[in-house]
């Protein structure tokens, strides 16, 4: 296991501060791009090549084979090359279960080191890329697998069952906080993570939680201000506490359990899950994966939890986890309308057509977008630390028109 060094909110704050201070080329915005200025512009891309065949379970196919128009995707690749969407590191498209597009770029990536970012590098199909909060959707799936395996009774189980040493912090109202509330960001605990500056060490609960002598005590000491399950509020600590729930329930470190029940069945041979010990618990960070393997995870939702003929995740769990738990249209984040169990839901508008999507979403442009009505997966990785929604623009402007039109 690797040590991430900082919690997600603190890492984001430090990344933004470092970018602003040092004018790192890792940022877009204002016409800038993290990609080094080339001496000569590369020739324009004129066609989309069939992806390379690898022994990883994916079958490559041409766009024509799956009924996708080529020109919108040619335009997408040229736009990425020009920096229109700032820093895109990878784009992978799966259509009708076939790998039809795979493209990689150049830039820098947060890596958890003291320097925070890698040097400028060329990304490729074998690069492990940090996925940031896409990790939350993996956590959701691990919770479902722990229920399948009998380690957790159900999503209705009280959080207190897993932290009996903190019983004194749970009054009768807090005892109603269930695992489903943790995964739907609706625990009801008084929490301030989005409404204060990320660098506000005194008032940002995500940072204070991360730096507390015992993070679990800090979390469960918060007052209950909403009925559990009634109100969405983004809570990084809830994700990390779910990691601790699964660790305690299974008796295994999270990466070991994930490897056994999820990554190995998917044929994912290389990954990293950043974690570090903090007193009696582990602080759970981000996963690093190859984009082709990220697509496998997304494909589970289109195949009722199956991969290569094997039932990897119960179909009923995926249906539950990816269904709306709460409406969050008022939040105004990337157009998402609903939240499930660590999954985001929205509709993309293409012309007069609304296309529903289930998304795993992460900082700086990391995304797995699942389009059930189109039988399509789109994976994007990037380094847009100051322009986090550009991957949705890329998909709306180019990828979806290649199918719908």
């Amino acid at each position: 296991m690797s040590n991430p060094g900082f919690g997600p909110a603190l890492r984001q704050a430090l990344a933004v501060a470092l970018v602003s201070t040092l004018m790192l080329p890792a940022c877009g915005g204002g016409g800038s791009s993290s990609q080094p200025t080339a001496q000569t512009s590369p020739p324009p891309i004129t066609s989309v090549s069939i992806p390379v065949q690898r022994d990883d379970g994916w079958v490559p196919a041409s766009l024509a084979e799956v009924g996708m128009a080529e020109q919108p995707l040619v335009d997408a690749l040229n736009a990425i090359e020009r920096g229109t969407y700032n820093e895109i590191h990878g784009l992978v498209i799966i259509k009708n279960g076939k790998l039809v597009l795979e493209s990689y770029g150049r830039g820098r990536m947060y890596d958890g080191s003291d320097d925070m970012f890698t040097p400028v590098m060329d990304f490729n199909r074998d690069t492990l890329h940090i996925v940031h909060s896409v990790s939350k959707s993996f956590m959701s799936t691990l919770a479902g697998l722990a229920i399948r395996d009998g380690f957790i009774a159900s999503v209705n189980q009280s959080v207190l069952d897993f932290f009996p040493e903190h019983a004194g912090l749970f009054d009768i109202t807090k005892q109603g906080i269930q695992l489903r509330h943790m995964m739907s960001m609706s625990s009801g605990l008084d929490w301030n993570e989005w409404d204060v500056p990320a660098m506000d060490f005194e008032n940002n609960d995500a940072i204070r939680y991360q730096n507390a002598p015992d993070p679990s005590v800090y979390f469960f000491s918060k007052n209950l201000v909403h009925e559990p399950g009634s109100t969405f509020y983004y809570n990084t600590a809830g994700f990390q506490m779910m990691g601790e729930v699964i660790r305690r329930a299974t008796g295994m470190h999270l990466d070991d359990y994930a490897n056994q029940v999820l990554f190995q069945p998917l044929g994912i041979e290389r990954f990293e899950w950043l974690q570090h010990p903090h007193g009696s618990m582990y602080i759970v960070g981000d996963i690093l994966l190859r984009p082709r393997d990220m697509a496998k995870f997304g494909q589970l939702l289109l195949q009722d939890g199956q991969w290569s003929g094997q039932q990897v995740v119960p179909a009923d769990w995926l249906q539950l986890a990816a269904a709306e738990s709460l409406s969050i249209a008022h939040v105004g984040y990337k157009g998402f309308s609903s939240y499930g169990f660590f999954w985001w839901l929205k509709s993309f508008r293409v012309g007069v057509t609304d296309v529903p999507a289930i998304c795993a979403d992460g900082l700086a442009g990391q995304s797995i977008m699942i389009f059930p009505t189109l039988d399509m997966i789109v994976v994007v990785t990037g380094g847009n630390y100051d322009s986090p929604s550009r991957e949705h623009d890329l998909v709306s402007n180019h990828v979806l028109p290649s199918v719908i039109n």
Side-chain angles (χ1 to χ4, degrees):
M1 290 179 290
S2 303
N3 187 335
F6 305 106
L10 182 54
R11 291 199 303 272
Q12 179 178 2
L14 291 176
V16 171
L18 185 59
V19 167
S20 300
T21 302
L22 301 182
M23 302 293 287
L24 288 179
C27 285
S32 63
S33 171
S34 62
Q35 299 178 6
T37 302
Q39 297 300 315
T40 58
S41 298
I45 297 167
T46 58
S47 63
V48 176
S49 302
I50 297 176
V52 173
Q53 174 76 60
R54 300 286 293 271
D55 186 22
D56 62 356
W58 286 121
V59 176
S62 68
L63 295 171
E65 288 179 70
V66 297
M68 294 180 72
E70 184 176 31
Q71 191 58 49
L73 297 174
V74 169
D75 294 341
L77 297 179
N78 281 307
I80 291 171
E81 187 69 30
R82 291 192 302 270
T84 301
Y85 300 102
N86 298 322
E87 188 173 318
I88 300 294
H89 295 164
L91 174 63
V92 169
I93 300 175
I94 310 296
K95 182 73 169 74
N96 300 346
K98 304 290 181 65
L99 175 64
V100 297
L101 187 146
E102 181 180 32
S103 178
Y104 299 98
R106 181 173 172 80
R108 290 201 272 188
M109 175 184 71
Y110 175 82
D111 65 356
S113 67
D114 290 341
D115 294 332
M116 296 206 308
F117 291 97
T118 65
V120 173
M121 60 185 290
D122 291 311
F123 293 90
N124 59 58
R125 63 180 58 88
D126 292 317
T127 305
L128 290 178
H129 200 287
I130 197 160
V131 303
H132 290 302
S133 285
V134 168
S135 307
K136 290 180 173 63
S137 301
F138 283 84
M139 185 76 77
S140 169
T141 302
L142 291 181
L145 291 168
I147 292 171
R148 178 201 67 183
D149 294 342
F151 294 116
I152 295 174
S154 76
V155 295
N156 300 319
Q157 192 167 359
S158 173
V159 175
L160 176 59
D161 291 350
F162 301 93
F163 298 92
E165 73 274 22
H166 296 323
L169 300 175
F170 283 77
D171 58 22
I172 189 65
T173 56
K174 284 188 189 177
Q175 290 175 23
I177 301 174
Q178 302 172 352
L179 299 184
R180 67 165 56 247
H181 304 139
M182 302 287 280
M183 290 187 288
S184 59
M185 302 279 186
S186 62
S187 68
L189 293 174
D190 187 13
W191 197 259
N192 200 347
E193 179 175 341
W194 269 8
D195 299 325
V196 294
M199 286 294 286
D200 189 341
F201 285 72
E202 295 297 322
N203 298 302
N204 190 305
D205 278 312
I207 295 177
R208 296 186 66 189
Y209 162 89
Q210 191 78 28
N211 295 331
D214 187 329
S216 60
V217 169
Y218 181 85
F219 183 78
F220 292 124
S221 295
K222 304 297 285 186
N223 293 325
L224 194 73
V225 294
H226 299 287
E227 180 182 353
S230 68
T231 305
F232 174 90
Y233 191 87
Y234 195 83
N235 189 324
T236 297
F239 158 70
Q240 296 181 340
M241 295 304 293
M242 275 303 303
E244 181 65 7
V245 165
I246 295 171
R247 187 181 76 88
R248 292 184 178 205
T250 63
M252 300 175 66
H253 288 302
L254 203 62
D255 50 354
D256 292 332
Y257 186 62
N259 188 43
Q260 176 180 301
V261 300
L262 183 60
F263 293 144
Q264 285 188 12
L266 288 176
I268 298 176
E269 299 174 349
R270 294 178 56 227
F271 74 95
E272 294 180 31
W273 198 324
L274 306 181
Q275 302 170 65
H276 73 274
H278 194 311
S280 62
M281 65 177 286
Y282 274 74
I283 296 295
V284 179
D286 304 323
I287 309 174
L288 287 86
L289 288 163
R290 294 176 291 193
R292 286 169 74 133
D293 289 335
M294 294 169 65
K296 292 181 183 181
F297 180 64
Q299 191 69 16
L300 288 175
L301 273 76
L302 295 182
Q303 297 180 168
D304 295 325
Q306 294 189 11
W307 177 259
S308 295
Q310 178 183 354
Q311 192 71 45
V312 179
V313 181
D316 57 355
W317 172 260
L318 292 175
Q319 292 167 5
L320 175 65
E324 177 181 316
S325 291
L326 289 168
S327 172
I328 61 167
H330 64 285
V331 175
Y333 176 63
K334 293 188 178 181
F336 290 119
S337 59
S338 307
Y339 199 72
F341 291 165
F342 292 144
W343 287 98
W344 302 85
L345 291 80
K346 70 177 290 185
S347 286
F348 286 78
R349 171 59 67 92
V350 181
V352 297
T353 303
D354 288 324
V355 186
I358 303 164
C359 303
D361 180 81
L363 178 70
Q366 324 313 319
S367 189
I368 305 172
M369 305 178 212
I370 300 122
F371 298 93
T373 61
L374 301 179
D375 194 11
M376 184 170 73
I377 306 288
V378 180
V379 171
V380 181
T381 56
N384 294 315
Y385 286 88
D386 66 342
S387 302
S389 63
R390 297 299 286 160
E391 75 279 5
H392 287 222
D393 297 336
L394 170 67
V395 170
S396 294
N397 295 340
H398 303 286
V399 178
L400 290 176
S402 76
V403 181
I404 292 173
N405 295 334

